[in-house]
Amino acid sequence: MDFPHCAINDLPGLLWSNVALLSVTGIVVVSSFLSQFKDAAPYGRHATPEKEKQWGPPVSQRMAHFCSDAIPGVPFCLAVYLIYSGALPTSEPFSAVRAVNVVLLCGWLLHYAYRGFITPLIMPYSSRTVSLGIPLAGFVPNCIFAYLVAVQLACTEYPSDWAARPRFIIGVVLYVVGTAINRWADLKLRAGRLEMLRRRQAAAAAAAAAAAAGGADAAAGSRRASKAVAAAAGAGTGAGGEGSAGAGVRESLLDSRDGGGGVAAGAGAPAGPASSAPSSTDSGKDGGAASGSGSDIRDRYFIPHGGLYDYIACPNYLGELLEWGGFALGTWSWPALSWLLFCTSTFVPRALTHLRWYRKTFPEYPRSRRALIPFVL
């Protein structure tokens, strides 16, 4: 046997149902590609209040990530595999446990164990919520592809020397390299986001301390100004006469100026917090203008540096494409190829959108960087 043989081909009912699902995935691939090129899905940096309303009510981003990735990718896929591998008599060849099939299945399960269970726990998201339509748009295709891949792996008999053939070896190498790149890129982003979070917390603490100190200074200035006003009011009855009263006013004003509390230009009115130095909440991160949408974005996102981030905007996407390219090569099946095409239809337009966003948001963003493939795309 030169190529893998899937027993579904011998069962017309299952064959045509799988062909129908593969046809649906073709429509999904084309739709994803066109929609992502037209307008990026509104999550992460591309989310706006108007777009989010169109995609449904907000839900927890961590829970949404878990439901859209973990459930289809691990328990559902594993259940389908076990059902199909044990549904037919034990005399059938595809009902036996074979190392190649298990290795390929583990490749799928390990990816989604990380993506669906670990990532929602460790990743500091830019927003706590996401529109309900986003996880639903991921859950449905993930279920379809997980089903097709699980059925194919459960019902396929690979040649006895498949593990020693170049396509399987190259596929495993690509999968491992892609997984390493994807995990490294994710952890790089996580470290940067955590560092930004620590800086925001430190800035907020410093601003609170400055506000408290400013309030104390303003109170002291108010007391000194009140003393000056009282001295002026008692000028007509004091023992020292007009000269003594004037001296008391001048002394109080000098004390107020030296203490930093400030006195308003009006008739002895005390200076409030509005007359003190601008606080950190009055200006954006870059100084100057008050914080608006641009400043808020720059406070939540940063320009990654180091490794592949010096060459492309989305090494995490590149790693995942290599990962699934290796999986498709090692599996040598239509479902795996269809899954690779679906990932490509999502990652390519979104990577290009990311690159445009970086260049628009950060004028200092290196112009030499590409979106997805170093020096090419």
Side-chain angles (χ1 to χ4, degrees), residues 79-102:
V80 172
Y81 177 86
L82 293 176
I83 290 172
Y84 272 87
S85 63
L88 296 178
T90 56
S91 60
E92 297 293 338
F94 57 84
S95 66
V97 176
R98 291 180 297 276
V100 169
N101 302 59
V102 173

Side-chain angles (χ1 to χ4, degrees), residues 301-346:
Y301 294 96
F302 64 100
I303 301 176
H305 292 281
L308 279 171
Y309 277 111
D310 290 338
Y311 301 95
I312 56 177
C314 304
N316 49 339
Y317 290 172
L318 173 62
E320 191 159 341
L321 284 178
L322 288 175
E323 185 179 345
W324 294 124
F327 182 81
L329 189 61
T331 305
W332 205 256
S333 69
W334 288 111
L337 176 61
S338 181
W339 173 244
L340 173 62
L341 293 176
F342 174 72
C343 293
T344 304
S345 72
T346 301

